[in-house]
Structures are given as structure tokens and as C-alpha cells.
Coordinates of all heavy atoms in Angstrom, one line a residue:
Y771 N -1.2 11.4 63.0 CA -1.7 10.3 63.8 C -1.5 10.6 65.3 O -0.3 10.8 65.7 CB -1.2 9.0 63.4 CG -1.7 7.8 64.1 CD1 -2.9 7.3 63.8 CD2 -0.9 7.1 65.1 CE1 -3.4 6.2 64.5 CE2 -1.4 6.0 65.7 CZ -2.6 5.6 65.4 OH -3.1 4.5 66.1
E772 N -2.5 10.6 66.1 CA -2.3 10.9 67.5 C -2.8 9.7 68.4 O -3.8 9.1 68.0 CB -3.0 12.1 67.9 CG -2.4 13.4 67.3 CD -3.2 14.6 67.7 OE1 -4.3 14.5 68.2 OE2 -2.6 15.7 67.6
I773 N -2.1 9.5 69.4 CA -2.6 8.5 70.4 C -3.1 9.3 71.6 O -2.4 10.2 72.1 CB -1.5 7.5 70.9 CG1 -0.9 6.7 69.7 CG2 -1.9 6.6 72.0 CD1 -1.9 5.8 69.1
L774 N -4.2 9.0 72.1 CA -4.8 9.7 73.3 C -4.8 8.7 74.4 O -5.3 7.6 74.3 CB -6.2 10.2 73.0 CG -6.3 11.2 71.9 CD1 -7.7 11.5 71.5 CD2 -5.6 12.5 72.3
L775 N -4.3 9.2 75.5 CA -4.3 8.4 76.8 C -5.3 9.1 77.7 O -5.1 10.2 78.0 CB -2.9 8.3 77.4 CG -2.7 7.6 78.7 CD1 -2.9 6.1 78.5 CD2 -1.4 7.9 79.2
G776 N -6.3 8.4 78.2 CA -7.2 9.0 79.1 C -7.4 8.2 80.4 O -7.4 7.0 80.4
L777 N -7.6 9.0 81.4 CA -8.0 8.4 82.7 C -9.5 8.7 82.8 O -9.9 9.8 82.7 CB -7.3 9.0 83.9 CG -5.8 9.0 83.8 CD1 -5.2 9.6 85.1 CD2 -5.3 7.6 83.7
V778 N -10.3 7.7 83.1 CA -11.7 7.9 83.1 C -12.2 7.4 84.5 O -11.8 6.4 85.0 CB -12.4 7.0 82.0 CG1 -13.9 7.3 82.0 CG2 -11.8 7.3 80.7
G779 N -13.0 8.2 85.2 CA -13.5 7.9 86.5 C -14.9 8.2 86.7 O -15.5 9.0 85.9
S780 N -15.5 7.6 87.7 CA -16.9 7.9 88.1 C -17.0 7.7 89.6 O -16.1 7.9 90.3 CB -17.8 6.9 87.3 OG -17.7 5.6 87.9
E781 N -18.2 7.3 90.0 CA -18.4 7.0 91.4 C -17.4 6.0 91.9 O -17.1 5.9 93.1 CB -19.8 6.4 91.6 CG -21.0 7.2 91.0 CD -21.2 6.9 89.5 OE1 -21.1 5.7 89.1 OE2 -21.5 7.8 88.8
M782 N -16.9 5.2 91.0 CA -15.9 4.2 91.4 C -14.7 4.8 92.1 O -14.0 4.1 92.8 CB -15.5 3.3 90.2 CG -16.6 2.3 89.8 SD -17.0 1.2 91.2 CE -15.5 0.5 91.6
C783 N -14.4 6.0 91.8 CA -13.2 6.7 92.5 C -13.4 6.6 94.0 O -12.4 6.5 94.7 CB -13.1 8.1 92.0 SG -12.6 8.2 90.3
I784 N -14.6 6.6 94.4 CA -14.9 6.5 95.9 C -14.4 5.2 96.4 O -13.9 5.1 97.5 CB -16.4 6.7 96.1 CG1 -16.8 8.1 95.7 CG2 -16.7 6.5 97.6 CD1 -18.3 8.3 95.7
R785 N -14.5 4.2 95.6 CA -14.1 2.8 96.0 C -12.6 2.6 95.7 O -12.1 1.5 95.6 CB -14.9 1.8 95.3 CG -16.4 1.8 95.7 CD -17.0 0.6 95.1 NE -18.5 0.7 95.3 CZ -19.3 -0.1 94.7 NH1 -18.9 -1.0 93.9 NH2 -20.6 0.0 95.0
D786 N -11.9 3.7 95.4 CA -10.5 3.6 95.2 C -10.1 2.9 93.9 O -9.1 2.1 93.8 CB -9.8 2.9 96.3 CG -8.3 3.3 96.5 OD1 -8.0 4.5 96.0 OD2 -7.5 2.5 97.0
S787 N -10.9 3.1 92.8 CA -10.6 2.5 91.5 C -10.6 3.5 90.5 O -11.4 4.5 90.6 CB -11.6 1.4 91.2 OG -11.5 0.3 92.1
M788 N -9.8 3.3 89.4 CA -9.9 4.2 88.3 C -9.5 3.5 87.0 O -8.7 2.6 87.0 CB -8.9 5.4 88.5 CG -9.0 6.4 87.4 SD -8.3 8.0 87.8 CE -9.3 8.4 89.2
Y789 N -10.2 3.8 85.9 CA -9.9 3.2 84.6 C -8.8 4.0 83.9 O -8.8 5.2 83.9 CB -11.2 3.2 83.8 CG -10.9 2.8 82.3 CD1 -10.8 1.5 82.0 CD2 -10.8 3.8 81.4 CE1 -10.5 1.1 80.7 CE2 -10.6 3.4 80.0 CZ -10.4 2.1 79.7 OH -10.2 1.7 78.4
I790 N -7.8 3.3 83.4 CA -6.7 3.9 82.7 C -6.7 3.1 81.3 O -6.6 1.9 81.3 CB -5.4 3.8 83.4 CG1 -5.5 4.5 84.7 CG2 -4.3 4.3 82.5 CD1 -4.2 4.3 85.6
G791 N -6.8 3.9 80.2 CA -6.8 3.3 78.9 C -6.2 4.1 77.9 O -5.9 5.3 78.1
M792 N -5.9 3.6 76.7 CA -5.3 4.3 75.6 C -6.1 4.0 74.3 O -6.7 3.0 74.1 CB -3.9 3.7 75.4 CG -3.1 4.4 74.3 SD -1.5 3.6 74.0 CE -2.0 2.4 72.8
T793 N -6.2 5.0 73.5 CA -6.9 4.9 72.2 C -6.3 5.9 71.2 O -5.7 6.8 71.5 CB -8.4 5.2 72.4 OG1 -9.1 5.0 71.2 CG2 -8.6 6.7 72.9
N794 N -6.6 5.6 69.9 CA -6.2 6.5 68.8 C -7.4 7.3 68.3 O -7.3 8.0 67.4 CB -5.5 5.7 67.7 CG -6.5 4.7 67.0 OD1 -7.6 4.4 67.5 ND2 -6.1 4.2 65.9
N795 N -8.5 7.1 68.9 CA -9.7 7.8 68.5 C -10.6 8.1 69.8 O -11.5 7.4 70.1 CB -10.6 7.0 67.5 CG -11.7 7.8 67.0 OD1 -12.3 8.7 67.6 ND2 -12.1 7.5 65.7
F796 N -10.2 9.2 70.5 CA -10.8 9.4 71.8 C -12.3 9.6 71.8 O -13.0 9.0 72.6 CB -10.1 10.7 72.4 CG -10.6 10.9 73.8 CD1 -10.1 10.0 74.8 CD2 -11.4 11.9 74.2 CE1 -10.5 10.2 76.2 CE2 -11.8 12.1 75.5 CZ -11.4 11.3 76.5
P797 N -12.9 10.4 70.8 CA -14.4 10.6 70.8 C -15.1 9.2 70.6 O -16.1 8.9 71.3 CB -14.6 11.5 69.6 CG -13.3 12.3 69.5 CD -12.3 11.3 69.8
R798 N -14.6 8.4 69.7 CA -15.2 7.1 69.5 C -15.1 6.2 70.8 O -16.1 5.6 71.2 CB -14.5 6.3 68.4 CG -15.2 5.0 68.1 CD -14.3 4.0 67.3 NE -13.3 3.5 68.3 CZ -12.0 3.3 68.0 NH1 -11.5 3.6 66.8 NH2 -11.1 2.9 68.9
R799 N -13.9 6.2 71.4 CA -13.7 5.4 72.6 C -14.7 5.8 73.8 O -15.3 5.0 74.4 CB -12.3 5.5 73.1 CG -11.9 4.6 74.2 CD -11.9 3.1 73.7 NE -11.3 2.3 74.7 CZ -11.2 1.0 74.7 NH1 -11.7 0.4 73.6 NH2 -10.7 0.3 75.6
V800 N -14.8 7.1 74.0 CA -15.8 7.6 75.0 C -17.2 7.2 74.6 O -17.9 6.7 75.5 CB -15.7 9.2 75.1 CG1 -16.8 9.7 76.0 CG2 -14.3 9.5 75.7
W801 N -17.6 7.3 73.4 CA -18.9 6.9 73.0 C -19.1 5.4 73.2 O -20.2 5.0 73.7 CB -19.1 7.2 71.5 CG -20.5 6.9 71.0 CD1 -21.6 7.7 71.0 CD2 -20.9 5.7 70.3 NE1 -22.6 7.0 70.5 CE2 -22.2 5.8 70.0 CE3 -20.2 4.5 70.0 CZ2 -23.0 4.8 69.4 CZ3 -20.9 3.5 69.4 CH2 -22.3 3.6 69.1
E802 N -18.1 4.6 72.9 CA -18.2 3.1 73.2 C -18.4 2.8 74.6 O -19.3 2.0 75.0 CB -17.0 2.4 72.7 CG -16.8 2.3 71.2 CD -15.5 1.8 70.7 OE1 -14.5 1.7 71.5 OE2 -15.3 1.6 69.5
H803 N -17.7 3.5 75.5 CA -17.8 3.3 76.9 C -19.2 3.8 77.4 O -19.8 3.1 78.2 CB -16.7 4.0 77.7 CG -15.4 3.3 77.6 ND1 -15.2 2.0 78.1 CD2 -14.2 3.7 77.2 CE1 -13.9 1.7 77.9 NE2 -13.3 2.7 77.3
K804 N -19.6 4.9 77.0 CA -20.9 5.5 77.5 C -22.0 4.6 77.0 O -23.1 4.6 77.7 CB -21.1 6.9 77.0 CG -20.3 7.9 77.7 CD -20.6 9.3 77.3 CE -19.8 10.3 78.2 NZ -20.5 11.5 78.4
N805 N -21.9 3.9 75.9 CA -22.9 3.0 75.4 C -22.7 1.6 75.8 O -23.4 0.7 75.3 CB -23.1 3.2 73.9 CG -23.7 4.6 73.5 OD1 -24.9 4.7 73.7 ND2 -22.8 5.5 73.2
H806 N -21.8 1.3 76.7 CA -21.5 0.0 77.2 C -21.2 -1.0 76.2 O -21.6 -2.2 76.3 CB -22.7 -0.5 78.1 CG -23.1 0.5 79.2 ND1 -22.3 0.7 80.3 CD2 -24.1 1.4 79.3 CE1 -22.8 1.7 81.0 NE2 -23.9 2.1 80.4
L807 N -20.5 -0.6 75.1 CA -20.1 -1.5 74.1 C -18.7 -2.2 74.3 O -18.4 -3.2 73.6 CB -20.0 -0.7 72.7 CG -21.3 -0.1 72.3 CD1 -21.1 0.8 71.1 CD2 -22.4 -1.1 72.1
V808 N -18.0 -1.7 75.3 CA -16.7 -2.3 75.7 C -16.9 -3.2 76.9 O -17.3 -2.7 78.0 CB -15.7 -1.2 75.9 CG1 -14.3 -1.8 76.3 CG2 -15.6 -0.3 74.7
K809 N -16.6 -4.5 76.7 CA -16.7 -5.4 77.9 C -15.6 -5.1 78.9 O -14.5 -4.7 78.5 CB -16.6 -6.8 77.4 CG -17.8 -7.3 76.6 CD -17.6 -8.7 76.2 CE -18.8 -9.1 75.3 NZ -18.7 -10.5 74.9
G810 N -15.8 -5.4 80.1 CA -14.8 -5.2 81.1 C -15.1 -4.2 82.2 O -16.3 -4.0 82.5
F811 N -14.0 -3.6 82.7 CA -14.1 -2.7 83.9 C -15.1 -1.6 83.7 O -16.0 -1.4 84.6 CB -12.7 -2.1 84.2 CG -12.7 -1.3 85.4 CD1 -12.3 -1.8 86.6 CD2 -12.9 0.1 85.3 CE1 -12.3 -1.0 87.7 CE2 -12.9 0.9 86.4 CZ -12.5 0.4 87.6
T812 N -15.1 -0.9 82.6 CA -16.0 0.2 82.4 C -17.4 -0.1 82.3 O -18.3 0.6 82.7 CB -15.5 1.1 81.2 OG1 -15.6 0.3 80.1 CG2 -14.2 1.7 81.4
K813 N -17.7 -1.3 81.7 CA -19.1 -1.8 81.6 C -19.6 -2.3 82.9 O -20.7 -1.9 83.4 CB -19.2 -2.9 80.6 CG -20.6 -3.3 80.3 CD -20.7 -4.2 79.1 CE -22.1 -4.6 78.8 NZ -22.2 -5.5 77.6
I814 N -18.8 -3.0 83.7 CA -19.2 -3.6 85.0 C -19.5 -2.4 86.0 O -20.5 -2.5 86.7 CB -18.1 -4.5 85.5 CG1 -18.0 -5.8 84.6 CG2 -18.4 -4.9 87.0 CD1 -16.8 -6.6 84.9
Y815 N -18.6 -1.4 86.0 CA -18.7 -0.4 87.0 C -19.3 0.9 86.5 O -19.3 1.9 87.2 CB -17.3 -0.1 87.6 CG -16.8 -1.3 88.4 CD1 -15.8 -2.1 87.9 CD2 -17.4 -1.6 89.6 CE1 -15.3 -3.2 88.6 CE2 -16.9 -2.7 90.3 CZ -15.9 -3.5 89.8 OH -15.4 -4.6 90.5
N816 N -19.8 0.9 85.3 CA -20.6 2.0 84.7 C -19.7 3.3 84.8 O -20.2 4.4 85.2 CB -21.9 2.3 85.5 CG -22.8 3.2 84.7 OD1 -22.7 3.3 83.5 ND2 -23.7 3.9 85.4
V817 N -18.5 3.2 84.4 CA -17.6 4.4 84.3 C -18.0 5.3 83.1 O -18.3 4.8 82.1 CB -16.1 3.9 84.1 CG1 -15.2 5.1 83.9 CG2 -15.6 3.1 85.2
H818 N -18.1 6.6 83.4 CA -18.7 7.4 82.4 C -18.2 8.8 82.3 O -18.6 9.6 81.5 CB -20.2 7.5 82.6 CG -20.6 8.2 83.9 ND1 -20.7 7.5 85.0 CD2 -20.9 9.4 84.2 CE1 -21.0 8.3 86.0 NE2 -21.2 9.5 85.5
E819 N -17.2 9.2 83.1 CA -16.7 10.6 83.2 C -15.2 10.6 82.9 O -14.4 10.0 83.6 CB -17.1 11.2 84.5 CG -16.7 12.6 84.6 CD -17.0 13.2 86.0 OE1 -17.7 12.5 86.8 OE2 -16.5 14.2 86.3
V820 N -14.8 11.4 82.0 CA -13.4 11.7 81.7 C -12.9 12.7 82.7 O -13.4 13.7 82.9 CB -13.1 12.2 80.3 CG1 -11.6 12.5 80.1 CG2 -13.6 11.2 79.3
V821 N -11.8 12.3 83.4 CA -11.2 13.2 84.4 C -9.8 13.7 84.1 O -9.3 14.7 84.6 CB -11.2 12.6 85.8 CG1 -12.6 12.3 86.3 CG2 -10.4 11.3 85.9
Y822 N -9.2 13.1 83.1 CA -7.8 13.5 82.7 C -7.5 12.9 81.3 O -7.9 11.8 81.0 CB -6.8 13.0 83.7 CG -5.4 13.3 83.4 CD1 -4.9 14.6 83.6 CD2 -4.5 12.4 82.9 CE1 -3.6 14.9 83.4 CE2 -3.2 12.6 82.6 CZ -2.7 13.9 82.9 OH -1.4 14.2 82.6
I823 N -6.8 13.6 80.5 CA -6.3 13.1 79.2 C -5.0 13.6 78.8 O -4.7 14.8 79.2 CB -7.4 13.4 78.1 CG1 -7.0 12.7 76.8 CG2 -7.5 14.9 77.9 CD1 -8.1 12.7 75.8
E824 N -4.2 12.8 78.2 CA -2.9 13.3 77.6 C -2.9 12.9 76.2 O -3.3 11.9 75.8 CB -1.7 12.5 78.3 CG -1.4 12.9 79.7 CD -0.2 12.2 80.3 OE1 0.7 11.9 79.5 OE2 -0.3 11.9 81.5
E825 N -2.3 13.8 75.4 CA -2.1 13.6 74.0 C -0.7 13.2 73.7 O 0.2 13.9 74.1 CB -2.5 14.9 73.2 CG -3.3 14.6 71.9 CD -3.7 15.9 71.3 OE1 -4.5 16.7 72.0 OE2 -3.3 16.1 70.2
I826 N -0.4 12.1 73.1 CA 0.9 11.6 72.9 C 1.0 11.2 71.4 O 0.2 10.4 70.9 CB 1.2 10.4 73.8 CG1 1.1 10.8 75.2 CG2 2.6 9.8 73.5 CD1 1.2 9.7 76.3
S827 N 2.0 11.6 70.7 CA 2.1 11.4 69.2 C 2.6 10.0 68.8 O 2.3 9.6 67.7 CB 2.9 12.5 68.6 OG 4.2 12.5 69.1
E828 N 3.4 9.4 69.6 CA 4.0 8.1 69.3 C 3.4 7.0 70.0 O 3.2 7.0 71.3 CB 5.5 8.1 69.6 CG 6.3 9.1 68.8 CD 6.4 8.7 67.3 OE1 6.4 7.4 67.0 OE2 6.4 9.6 66.4
V829 N 3.0 5.9 69.3 CA 2.3 4.8 69.9 C 3.1 4.1 71.0 O 2.6 3.8 72.1 CB 1.7 3.8 68.9 CG1 2.9 3.0 68.2 CG2 0.8 2.8 69.5
T830 N 4.4 3.9 70.8 CA 5.2 3.3 71.8 C 5.4 4.1 73.1 O 5.4 3.6 74.2 CB 6.6 3.0 71.2 OG1 7.2 4.2 70.7 CG2 6.6 1.9 70.1
T831 N 5.4 5.4 72.9 CA 5.5 6.3 74.0 C 4.1 6.3 74.8 O 4.1 6.3 76.0 CB 5.8 7.8 73.6 OG1 7.0 7.8 72.8 CG2 5.9 8.7 74.7
A832 N 3.0 6.2 74.1 CA 1.7 6.2 74.7 C 1.5 4.9 75.5 O 1.0 4.9 76.6 CB 0.6 6.3 73.7
I833 N 2.0 3.8 75.0 CA 1.9 2.5 75.7 C 2.7 2.5 76.9 O 2.3 2.1 78.0 CB 2.3 1.3 74.7 CG1 1.3 1.2 73.6 CG2 2.5 0.0 75.5 CD1 1.7 0.3 72.5
A834 N 3.9 3.1 76.8 CA 4.8 3.2 78.0 C 4.2 4.1 79.1 O 4.2 3.8 80.3 CB 6.2 3.7 77.6
R835 N 3.6 5.2 78.7 CA 2.9 6.1 79.6 C 1.7 5.4 80.3 O 1.5 5.6 81.5 CB 2.5 7.4 78.9 CG 1.8 8.4 79.8 CD 2.8 8.9 80.8 NE 2.1 10.0 81.6 CZ 2.2 10.2 82.9 NH1 2.9 9.4 83.6 NH2 1.5 11.2 83.4
E836 N 0.9 4.7 79.5 CA -0.2 3.9 80.1 C 0.3 3.0 81.1 O -0.3 2.9 82.2 CB -1.0 3.2 79.0 CG -2.1 2.4 79.5 CD -2.8 1.5 78.5 OE1 -2.1 1.2 77.5 OE2 -4.0 1.2 78.7
K837 N 1.4 2.2 80.8 CA 1.9 1.3 81.8 C 2.4 2.0 83.0 O 2.2 1.5 84.2 CB 3.0 0.4 81.2 CG 2.5 -0.6 80.2 CD 3.6 -1.4 79.6 CE 3.1 -2.3 78.5 NZ 4.2 -3.1 77.9
E838 N 3.1 3.1 82.8 CA 3.6 3.9 84.0 C 2.4 4.4 84.9 O 2.5 4.3 86.1 CB 4.3 5.1 83.4 CG 4.9 6.1 84.5 CD 5.5 7.3 83.9 OE1 5.2 7.7 82.7 OE2 6.3 7.9 84.6
L839 N 1.3 4.9 84.3 CA 0.2 5.3 85.1 C -0.5 4.1 85.8 O -0.8 4.2 87.0 CB -0.8 6.0 84.2 CG -0.4 7.4 83.7 CD1 -1.3 7.8 82.6 CD2 -0.3 8.4 84.8
K840 N -0.6 3.0 85.1 CA -1.2 1.8 85.7 C -0.3 1.3 86.9 O -0.9 0.9 87.9 CB -1.4 0.7 84.7 CG -2.6 1.0 83.8 CD -2.9 -0.1 82.8 CE -4.1 0.2 82.0 NZ -4.4 -0.9 81.1
N841 N 1.0 1.3 86.7 CA 1.9 0.9 87.8 C 1.8 1.9 89.0 O 1.7 1.4 90.1 CB 3.3 0.9 87.3 CG 4.3 0.3 88.3 OD1 4.0 -0.6 89.0 ND2 5.5 0.9 88.3
G842 N 1.7 3.2 88.7 CA 1.5 4.2 89.8 C 0.2 4.0 90.5 O 0.1 4.1 91.7
E843 N -0.9 3.6 89.8 CA -2.2 3.4 90.4 C -2.1 2.1 91.3 O -2.7 2.1 92.4 CB -3.2 3.2 89.3 CG -4.6 2.9 89.8 CD -5.3 4.0 90.5 OE1 -4.8 5.1 90.6 OE2 -6.4 3.8 91.0
E844 N -1.4 1.1 90.9 CA -1.3 -0.1 91.7 C -0.5 0.2 93.0 O -0.9 -0.3 94.0 CB -0.6 -1.2 90.9 CG -1.5 -1.9 89.9 CD -2.8 -2.5 90.6 OE1 -2.7 -3.2 91.6 OE2 -3.9 -2.2 90.1
K845 N 0.6 1.0 92.9 CA 1.4 1.3 94.0 C 0.5 2.1 95.0 O 0.6 1.9 96.2 CB 2.6 2.1 93.6 CG 3.7 1.2 93.0 CD 4.9 2.0 92.6 CE 5.9 1.1 92.0 NZ 7.1 1.9 91.5
R846 N -0.3 3.0 94.5 CA -1.1 3.9 95.3 C -2.2 3.0 96.1 O -2.4 3.2 97.3 CB -1.9 4.9 94.5 CG -2.7 5.9 95.3 CD -3.5 6.9 94.4 NE -4.5 6.2 93.7 CZ -5.7 5.8 94.2 NH1 -6.0 6.0 95.4 NH2 -6.6 5.2 93.4
K847 N -2.7 2.0 95.4 CA -3.7 1.2 96.0 C -3.1 0.3 97.2 O -3.8 0.1 98.1 CB -4.4 0.2 95.0 CG -5.4 0.9 94.1 CD -6.0 -0.2 93.2 CE -6.9 0.4 92.1 NZ -7.4 -0.7 91.3
T848 N -1.9 -0.1 97.0 CA -1.3 -1.0 98.0 C -0.6 -0.2 99.1 O -0.2 -0.9 100.1 CB -0.3 -1.9 97.3 OG1 0.7 -1.2 96.7 CG2 -1.0 -2.9 96.3
S849 N -0.5 1.1 99.0 CA 0.1 1.9 100.1 C -0.8 2.1 101.2 O -2.0 2.1 101.2 CB 0.5 3.2 99.5 OG 1.5 3.0 98.5

């Protein structure tokens, strides 16, 4: 069982925003986002391009890493 953590970006990177999310089925999650089936940030801002991914085997480690990346993104935005 693998947990995939992906950073997904598009034109929104120009506006200083980036989507950070976690999934256990990366191909399905990308398909859902590309077909606008997931409500929220990616649907509103039409995020469609994967720019980075990490493979993490433990769910608790993946959740911690997602939080770490989101915290780093918030610090970057406020600097």
C-alpha cells in the first residue's frame, strides 16, 4: 500500500498559489481533478498539471509530510 503526495500547479503558480494534497491512488486523483470532480481549490482555479510528487509508504508519515509542505507554503506566502 502506497501513499502518494503530490504538488499540483498550473497558471495559478503565477498568482503565488499551489495545490498540495495526498492520495493513495495517484492516477485516479489526477483524473478526478482533470475532470473537475473534486470540489474546492483545484476546481475553482482549474489546476491541471503535476509539478512534483513524493511516494511515502506510511499513511501517518504522508500526512505529516503534507502538513509540513502546507506549512512551508504558508510561510513562503507571508514572507
Side-chain angles (χ1 to χ4, degrees):
Y771 181 75
E772 293 180 341
I773 299 297
L774 297 170
L775 176 70
L777 303 182
V778 183
S780 70
E781 309 83 41
M782 283 305 299
C783 292
I784 296 167
R785 294 189 189 168
D786 205 28
S787 295
M788 185 159 300
Y789 170 78
I790 299 172
M792 186 187 84
T793 183
N794 65 345
N795 188 330
F796 189 71
R798 183 202 73 224
R799 187 68 168 177
V800 170
W801 183 85
E802 289 171 348
H803 284 300
K804 284 187 175 208
N805 289 282
H806 306 288
L807 301 174
V808 179
K809 293 181 182 180
F811 183 91
T812 58
K813 187 173 184 178
I814 293 168
Y815 294 107
N816 196 27
V817 175
H818 64 276
E819 183 182 348
V820 177
V821 294
Y822 180 77
I823 188 169
E824 286 183 34
E825 222 173 299
I826 301 172
S827 60
E828 294 292 324
V829 67
T830 53
T831 305
I833 291 168
R835 179 66 173 138
E836 178 186 25
K837 288 180 181 179
E838 177 184 24
L839 290 167
K840 285 183 176 180
N841 185 38
E843 178 69 4
E844 283 303 311
K845 285 181 181 175
R846 185 185 66 77
K847 283 184 189 179
T848 58
S849 297

